[in-house]
Amino acid sequence: MKPRHKRLILLAGALAALGIATMLVLSAFRKNLVFFFTPTQVLAGEAPRGQSLRIGGLVENGTLQRQPDGVTVRFVVTDLAHKVTVNYRGILPDLFKEGKGVVAQGRLNADHVFVADQVLAKHDENYMPPEAAEALRKGALAANESKGKP
């Protein structure tokens, strides 16, 4: 075999290894992508089933229910237009409160209940997660449009 052929085979092997490595990295990246959806988008069916996603908005007042086991909670997230029920098993962040902004990460089940495996609360009284703030803004606009207000 000529040295030129050996170099071509080595170059082809290196390109194949680079392609496989790129494919594996992109596959891992895709599995870890988590998209944000508003309750309106979730109820419209835009959120994928069986895939991890985030929903955000406000925790509706009076909806926080703690189960007897002490670690399971149920609450409603609203974007002021629509509501999604969230089940979460774990310790809630210290700043988690009704009427405050929240982002929950998890999956939708068949009953349209969001089963969260992580709940994120706001940092301080002035902070709202950008995704949640945008969801609330859009929800308020949608609610006003449905009521006929400009």
Side-chain angles (χ1 to χ4, degrees):
M1 187 178 288
K2 294 180 182 178
R4 182 177 178 194
H5 290 137
K6 288 182 182 177
R7 282 191 300 244
L8 286 176
I9 291 173
L10 183 63
L11 182 63
L15 286 176
L18 182 64
I20 291 171
T22 302
M23 186 180 70
L24 291 174
V25 167
L26 290 177
S27 175
F29 181 69
R30 186 177 180 149
K31 287 180 183 175
N32 291 324
L33 279 178
V34 178
F35 293 103
F36 180 85
F37 293 92
T38 64
T40 299
Q41 290 173 313
V42 169
L43 295 177
E46 297 176 22
R49 299 241 179 236
Q51 183 177 347
S52 183
L53 57 107
R54 288 183 173 179
I55 64 167
L58 294 176
V59 178
E60 190 168 60
N61 288 325
T63 61
L64 181 62
Q65 300 171 346
R66 295 188 185 276
Q67 301 301 314
D69 64 2
V71 292
T72 304
V73 294
R74 184 179 189 114
F75 55 93
V76 173
V77 174
T78 180
D79 61 359
L80 304 177
H82 294 93
K83 302 170 186 175
V84 171
T85 301
V86 176
N87 281 342
Y88 175 66
R89 182 173 172 81
I91 299 172
L92 290 171
D94 290 338
L95 298 174
F96 180 88
K97 292 180 182 175
E98 292 180 338
K100 301 296 180 183
V102 67
V103 174
Q105 182 174 329
R107 298 175 191 272
L108 273 174
N109 68 14
D111 300 328
H112 297 281
V113 174
F114 191 79
V115 180
D117 48 38
Q118 186 178 17
V119 173
L120 307 170
K122 64 185 183 90
H123 294 131
D124 63 29
E125 65 187 48
N126 297 321
Y127 179 77
M128 173 75 70
E131 297 93 352
E134 181 66 17
L136 291 175
R137 187 187 67 77
K138 288 180 180 177
L141 287 174
N144 286 338
E145 287 177 6
S146 68
K147 292 178 184 175
K149 294 180 182 177

